């Protein structure tokens, strides 16, 4: 009797980012449906959370639990350095136990937000290198990418991608970025973001309600010197917009996409005292989808906040921080309703929102049609993945 396939999942999962966890849950749903006998294991940033939510065997991504905190002294620097060496052995041992490893979406090849090369990029390189050394296939599935301006980050990300056995990207610019970084993308495909495969809930919609997805936005790697200024400007403009909505008598629901965003919610609530403004408690993308389904329109910043709104066919205005946000909005038919989180034009935001509402019916129909196509393409990708990468155990 053939033993069950051993499939690993790898990433910054269970670490507070709803989009990452939602991508993981989409792949988990696919594996449990199409490969029900597979033995699943997860190497991730929040092993306790993933284990409790999904009942899976988990392993911590890093030996040193303070890996993603800023080093505050010689001891923490030494522990981080030692942890990098220990993680080589730990990652090799975990990868050796798997027949295949899937990295489920996420911006694992991106550096659009502040990122150190010896953080997650190093962990990803270890995964791909260990896979090559022990013969375990590594698949980067519907991942995001961009060309890093930092030489070390660019080199590490490039080699992590080259050593993977399977690569697909969530948009065309991501594939173009990897080509520019020297990766042969001849056989790489572009498929939608994995979160489009999640089920869409349906809740009663509160009339004239607006969902506002916020982000603790400090700019990118190149903006570290201006991080506080960028953050204050962003929060000020979002607060003004929320205040205007409440002043017009509209119910407002505040959403987050990462636990770090709660500080922005708290600041808005403190500055705008109105019973019309409420916060949505959520810790998963499924909960975000359910909360968001109850509003009429959405204005959001984080990529997966925008994606959830589009999946639900909501008229959506995107205040993006990277090209991927604009590409997503354009793909779903709302490219004219975009702004930059770094430089919000408040008066234009108000005008765009008014137009968005005036064309709500027309735009919802367009988004619904294009969203259905995104889900169909992901079904196609899962079939390709099963046939070419996970042939064992297919029903």
């Amino acid at each position: 009797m053939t033993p069950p396939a051993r499939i690993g999942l790898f990433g910054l999962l269970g670490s507070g980012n709803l989009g990452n966890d939602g991508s993981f849950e989409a792949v988990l749903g696919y594996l449990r449906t199409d490969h029900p006998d597979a033995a699943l294991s997860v190497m991730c940033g929040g092993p306790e959370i993933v284990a409790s939510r999904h009942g899976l065997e988990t392993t911590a991504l890093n030996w040193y639990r303070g890996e993603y905190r800023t080093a505050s002294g010689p001891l923490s620097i030494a522990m981080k350095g030692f942890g990098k060496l220990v993680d080589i052995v730990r990652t090799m041992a975990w990868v050796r136990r798997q027949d295949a490893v899937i990295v489920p979406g996420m911006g694992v090849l991106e550096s659009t937000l502040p990122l150190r090369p010896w953080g997650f990029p190093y962990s990803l390189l270890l995964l791909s290198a260990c896979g090559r050394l022990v013969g375990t296939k590594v698949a980067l599935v519907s991942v995001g990418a961009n060309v890093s301006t930092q030489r070390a980050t660019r080199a590490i990300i490039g080699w992590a991608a080259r050593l993977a056995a399977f690569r697909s990207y969530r948009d065309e610019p991501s594939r173009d970025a990897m080509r520019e970084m020297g990766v042969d993308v001849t056989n790489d495909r572009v498929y939608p973001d994995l979160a489009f495969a999640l089920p869409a809930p349906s809740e009663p919609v509160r009339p004239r309600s607006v969902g506002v997805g916020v982000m603790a936005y400090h700019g990118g790697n190149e903006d570290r010197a201006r991080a506080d200024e960028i953050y204050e400007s962003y929060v000020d403009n979002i607060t003004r917009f929320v205040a205007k909505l409440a002043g017009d008598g509209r119910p407002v629901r505040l959403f987050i996409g990462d636990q770090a965003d709660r500080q922005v919610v708290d600041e808005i609530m403190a500055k705008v005292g109105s019973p019309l403004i409420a916060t949505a408690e959520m810790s998963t993308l499924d909960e975000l989808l359910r909360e968001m389904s109850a509003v009429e329109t959405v204005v959001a910043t984080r990529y997966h906040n925008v994606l959830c709104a589009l999946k639900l066919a909501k008229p959506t205005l995107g205040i993006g921080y990277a090209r991927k946000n604009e590409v997503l909005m354009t793909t779903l038919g709302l490219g004219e309703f975009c702004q930059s989180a770094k430089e919000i034009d408040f008066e234009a935001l108000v005008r765009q929102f008014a137009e968005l509402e005036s064309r709500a019916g027309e735009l919802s129909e367009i988004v619904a049609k294009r969203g259905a196509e995104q889900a169909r393409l992901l079904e196609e990708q899962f079939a390709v993945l099963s046939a070419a990468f996970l042939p064992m155990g297919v029903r």
Side-chain angles (χ1 to χ4, degrees), residues 61-65 67 76-91 122 126:
L61 188 64
N62 304 103
W63 173 79
Y64 179 51
R65 286 306 186 91
E67 174 62 36
S76 59
I77 292 173
M79 292 293 282
K80 280 194 173 188
F82 181 67
K84 300 300 180 190
L85 299 176
V86 175
D87 285 342
I88 296 175
V89 178
R90 294 176 65 256
T91 303
Y122 172 79
L126 277 186

Side-chain angles (χ1 to χ4, degrees), residues 289-311:
L289 280 163
R290 194 159 53 250
E291 291 282 352
M292 198 173 275
S293 69
V295 301
E296 277 194 347
T297 53
V298 175
V299 178
T301 299
R302 280 202 182 268
Y303 181 84
H304 280 97
N305 269 205
V306 174
L307 188 150
C308 285
L310 296 173
K311 179 174 177 58

Side-chain angles (χ1 to χ4, degrees), residues 16-29:
N17 185 285
L18 275 59
N20 289 359
D21 291 351
S23 298
F24 162 73
E25 287 160 11
V27 170
L28 183 61

Side-chain angles (χ1 to χ4, degrees), residues 73 75 96 118 131 166 177 332:
L75 179 59
R96 191 188 298 275
W118 302 109
F166 178 99
L332 273 291

Side-chain angles (χ1 to χ4, degrees), residues 141-168:
V141 181
S142 285
V143 298
N146 75 304
V147 179
S148 175
T149 57
Q150 294 184 320
R151 183 177 299 177
T153 302
R154 185 165 61 247
I156 291 173
I157 285 176
W159 276 107
R162 286 185 191 94
L163 294 173
F166 178 99
R167 292 181 299 269
S168 67

Side-chain angles (χ1 to χ4, degrees), residues 183-205:
V183 177
D184 182 0
V185 299
T186 304
N187 297 318
D188 298 354
R189 296 284 301 276
V190 173
Y191 288 102
D193 188 276
L194 291 167
F196 276 111
L198 293 172
S202 179
E203 299 288 336
V205 176

Side-chain angles (χ1 to χ4, degrees), residues 68-367:
Y68 294 99
R69 294 195 296 267
T70 302
S72 57
L75 179 59
S76 59
I77 292 173
M79 292 293 282
K80 280 194 173 188
F82 181 67
K84 300 300 180 190
L85 299 176
V86 175
D87 285 342
I88 296 175
V89 178
R90 294 176 65 256
T91 303
M92 178 72 80
W94 182 80
V95 171
R96 191 188 298 275
R97 295 195 297 270
Q98 316 305 322
D99 295 311
V101 176
I102 296 175
V103 179
M106 307 175 283
V108 296
L109 303 177
E110 288 181 6
S111 57
T112 52
L113 296 174
L115 179 73
R116 301 294 188 190
W118 302 109
F120 186 76
Y122 172 79
S123 298
L124 187 65
L125 175 59
L126 277 186
L127 171 71
S128 295
C130 290
R132 278 299 179 100
L133 287 171
V134 304
T136 297
K137 295 179 180 180
V138 173
L140 309 181
V141 181
S142 285
V143 298
N146 75 304
V147 179
S148 175
T149 57
Q150 294 184 320
R151 183 177 299 177
T153 302
R154 185 165 61 247
I156 291 173
I157 285 176
W159 276 107
R162 286 185 191 94
L163 294 173
F166 178 99
R167 292 181 299 269
S168 67
Y169 308 97
R170 65 185 175 194
D171 52 42
E172 201 66 53
S174 292
R175 182 167 61 178
D176 292 343
M178 296 316 296
R179 180 186 293 114
E180 187 175 338
M181 291 168 66
V183 177
D184 182 0
V185 299
T186 304
N187 297 318
D188 298 354
R189 296 284 301 276
V190 173
Y191 288 102
D193 188 276
L194 291 167
F196 276 111
L198 293 172
S202 179
E203 299 288 336
V205 176
R206 188 175 183 183
R208 302 184 72 234
S209 59
V210 183
V212 179
V214 302
M215 177 178 179
Y217 178 66
H218 295 84
N221 274 321
E222 71 280 7
D223 300 312
R224 290 180 184 272
R226 299 178 51 228
D228 290 343
E229 174 191 339
I230 290 171
Y231 174 82
E232 290 170 6
S233 175
Y234 169 81
V235 174
D236 178 64
N237 277 294
I238 296 297
T239 302
R240 288 177 63 197
F241 184 68
V242 170
K244 184 181 188 314
L245 291 173
D248 291 341
R250 295 175 174 276
V252 178
R253 197 82 166 156
L254 299 178
F255 302 125
I256 63 169
D258 190 289
Q259 297 308 317
D261 303 333
R262 291 194 182 279
Q263 68 183 80
V264 180
V265 170
D266 292 342
E267 288 186 43
I268 293 173
M269 295 295 288
K271 293 175 181 176
V272 187
S274 170
L276 291 173
I277 303 173
T279 62
E281 293 300 323
M282 63 195 73
S283 57
T284 68
L285 208 65
D286 179 64
E287 291 171 352
L288 172 62
L289 280 163
R290 194 159 53 250
E291 291 282 352
M292 198 173 275
S293 69
V295 301
E296 277 194 347
T297 53
V298 175
V299 178
T301 299
R302 280 202 182 268
Y303 181 84
H304 280 97
N305 269 205
V306 174
L307 188 150
C308 285
L310 296 173
K311 179 174 177 58
L312 294 166
K314 302 290 182 181
T316 304
L317 202 161
I319 303 176
Y321 55 88
R323 189 182 177 192
K324 64 182 179 182
N325 297 63
E326 187 175 345
V327 171
L328 175 64
M329 289 284 286
T330 300
T331 301
L332 273 291
L334 298 180
E336 63 192 287
F337 298 98
C338 295
Q339 280 218 30
S340 168
K342 195 180 296 184
E343 297 174 336
I344 297 175
D345 182 332
F346 183 78
E347 299 305 323
L349 179 65
V350 172
R351 291 195 300 271
Q352 286 175 305
F353 183 76
E355 182 179 355
L356 184 76
E357 285 207 312
S358 70
R359 297 170 55 192
E362 163 207 346
L363 296 174
S364 291
E365 187 175 333
I366 292 171
V367 173

